[in-house]
Amino acid sequence: MKNGRISTGGLPLVLFGLMPLLASSPAGAHGAPDTEGAPAEILQARITEQPDIQGLNAMILNAPRPGILLSYQGETPLTVLGTENEAFLRFTGKAVMVNRDSPSWRDLPNASDLSRKIADDSEPWALLSQSASFGWLDPRLDAAGATHDSGAEPRSWSITLQTASGETATIVGELRQKSLP
């Protein structure tokens, strides 16, 4: 660069070098991907009601099996109750703790992998994440019992939360099986 001007002397060489990348290659085109073994339906989950708790955000993790992601940056702890109404996860605003005695914890598909990462096993509550967020495959969002007709009523699900003062609030949603085209 001289006197504030940009030199374009090498521009044709650069463009010439990029031309093969821009051209479509018949050798690279293999047609549509193989769909053998693909599911005929997908499970769609959505949140229909979310409690008004300051610092709480919940969202669905779309995947072949949907999960839920909670993010909580409140001032006081917030506990997620498990499938048997037991204390399952505790969000502190800066970390997520797990109750290792919770049946919901033991039923998670990846609980054994996560358990190996937990250092201290002397207390029932253990540090699970040093983040204010955690996502998991909750069985309440599983396909068992979901409707198989896109015109039918969806199946409801709910996850109960307990504040530090003992009050409860609920995240409510629905599941629906959708046929793929």
Side-chain angles (χ1 to χ4, degrees):
M1 179 157 45
K2 295 180 183 176
N3 299 329
R5 294 176 40 197
I6 298 173
S7 169
T8 58
L11 189 58
L13 183 61
V14 170
L15 291 176
F16 181 74
L18 291 175
M19 288 304 288
L21 297 176
L22 298 174
S24 64
S25 168
H30 297 287
D34 184 17
T35 59
E36 187 175 318
E41 299 176 320
I42 59 167
L43 182 63
Q44 288 185 326
R46 73 182 193 107
I47 295 172
T48 56
E49 294 176 40
Q50 195 170 152
D52 187 21
I53 297 175
Q54 188 171 6
L56 175 68
N57 186 30
M59 65 185 285
I60 295 297
L61 298 170
N62 290 312
R65 178 177 168 196
I68 187 161
L69 174 73
L70 289 187
S71 176
Y72 177 66
Q73 297 181 359
E75 297 293 320
T76 59
L78 181 68
T79 302
V80 176
L81 300 183
T83 56
E84 297 180 19
N85 219 29
E86 82 283 5
F88 168 37
L89 297 171
R90 182 171 293 148
F91 288 75
T92 67
K94 296 178 183 171
V96 180
M97 308 288 285
V98 63
N99 176 5
R100 286 186 300 225
D101 295 336
S102 163
S104 298
W105 166 248
R106 291 189 300 266
D107 290 343
L108 287 183
N110 60 340
S112 61
D113 293 335
L114 292 171
S115 290
R116 283 187 225 121
K117 296 178 183 178
I118 297 173
D120 181 20
D121 62 358
S122 63
E123 297 291 325
W125 286 99
L127 180 65
L128 183 61
S129 171
Q130 292 182 353
S131 164
S133 301
F134 186 72
W136 70 99
L137 296 175
D138 196 290
R140 294 168 275 203
L141 298 174
D142 200 356
T147 60
H148 291 279
D149 177 9
S150 60
E153 288 293 315
R155 184 174 68 95
S156 295
W157 59 266
S158 63
I159 295 175
T160 304
L161 310 172
Q162 187 174 44
T163 64
S165 65
E167 296 176 32
T168 60
T170 308
I171 300 170
V172 179
E174 59 186 27
L175 292 171
R176 183 185 307 248
Q177 289 278 9
K178 288 273 202 166
S179 297
L180 292 174

